[in-house]
Amino acid sequence: MPERMDVLVGDLRFALRVWRAADQHNTPVVLLPATGRTAGDWDVIASGLHGERPVYAVDLRGHGDSAWPGRYRMDLFSQDVIGILDRLDLGPVDLVGHSLGGLVACRVAAAGQGHVRKLVLEDIGFPHPRPPGLPDRPEGELPFDWHMVEQIRPQIDDPDPGWADIVGRITATTLLIAGGAASPVPQRHIVELADRLADVRMTTINAGHLVHETMPAEYLRALVAFLGE
């Protein structure tokens, strides 16, 4: 079972789920979930990894048991994660991000502070403008701050023009895991992202957008093989 860890970055507290490993000297894996998802979203994948290496799954700001400060920008998410990695003092990690978590992971890797050994991006493409649209708020209590969706969705629909520079600064060896034709993410944008990265591998698992949830065994095989290269 994972342990709960709280990490303070500035005046914000972040909740992590931590799986210890028999050999704590192996490169840790840090997992970043999608919009509206929490660290618990990674339990199956983390359980398949932690025998060989420590695993840390993060509740991003506005999610789960982490702080809900009411201010949400893509750069703030990445600054939070960099702050968490600084506090943990793990050395270079293997950083895995799904959807929003993948966009955040790109920014962390591009920061060039030596935090990222390898980068894994699950079903994200190079950001392009798209018609704006805010989904309907689900009924009842949510495990995330709805204000986060209201603020972040426009930043995804109308992306920062600096994304080309961000992607161009990523030097970590990267694996792109595409979800295939069933995913709402245009797969040509994933190919474009691959073309813009310095050192990249790409694989498609035809599971739709929630690759690690829908086909965890296949996802784990691809992930373990890449991290072990």
Side-chain angles (χ1 to χ4, degrees):
M1 291 294 292
E3 304 171 13
R4 161 73 180 262
M5 175 186 288
D6 288 340
V7 176
L8 191 65
V9 178
D11 59 353
L12 298 183
R13 189 171 300 277
F14 293 89
L16 282 67
R17 292 168 74 83
V18 181
W19 289 257
R20 305 294 180 182
D23 187 349
Q24 290 292 117
H25 294 94
N26 287 341
T27 302
V29 179
V30 176
L31 305 167
L32 307 180
T35 305
R37 299 284 180 136
T38 65
D41 185 55
W42 289 109
D43 280 1
V44 172
I45 300 304
S47 296
L49 289 172
H50 85 281
E52 298 296 326
R53 58 180 73 215
V55 182
Y56 299 78
V58 178
D59 276 344
L60 298 173
R61 70 163 57 203
H63 292 77
D65 293 329
S66 287
W68 295 18
R71 294 179 60 245
Y72 304 102
R73 295 198 316 268
M74 203 70 70
D75 62 322
L76 293 178
F77 282 122
S78 60
Q79 290 168 24
D80 294 340
V81 173
I82 290 170
I84 290 167
L85 295 177
D86 285 338
R87 290 290 187 184
L88 293 175
D89 194 23
L90 300 171
V93 303
D94 293 334
L95 187 60
V96 181
H98 173 222
S99 198
L100 171 63
L103 295 173
V104 174
C106 284
R107 286 179 169 267
V108 174
Q113 298 183 23
H115 288 306
V116 181
R117 184 187 77 115
K118 288 189 173 182
L119 179 64
V120 180
L121 305 174
E122 180 184 341
D123 208 47
I124 70 164
F126 186 80
H128 285 275
R130 63 188 188 185
L134 187 67
D136 294 332
R137 185 194 186 282
E139 295 292 333
E141 187 175 352
L142 301 175
F144 58 90
D145 186 353
W146 184 251
H147 296 301
M148 177 272 304
V149 177
E150 294 174 331
Q151 293 174 40
I152 286 296
R153 182 62 180 265
Q155 296 174 48
I156 295 173
D157 292 342
D158 185 17
D160 184 336
W163 269 107
D165 177 63
I166 292 168
V167 172
R169 286 188 277 114
I170 296 173
T171 59
T173 302
T174 303
L175 172 65
L176 303 184
I177 301 178
S183 171
V185 176
Q187 300 296 284
R188 67 185 183 278
H189 293 171
I190 301 178
V191 173
E192 179 184 354
L193 179 58
D195 289 342
R196 290 174 177 267
L197 287 163
D199 185 1
V200 67
R201 294 105 171 93
M202 179 174 168
T203 188
T204 297
I205 300 174
N206 291 301
H209 189 52
L210 303 177
V211 183
H212 72 275
E213 179 179 302
T214 305
M215 299 181 72
E218 292 82 352
Y219 186 94
L220 265 170
R221 278 197 293 271
L223 182 60
V224 169
F226 171 69
L227 298 184
E229 288 179 359

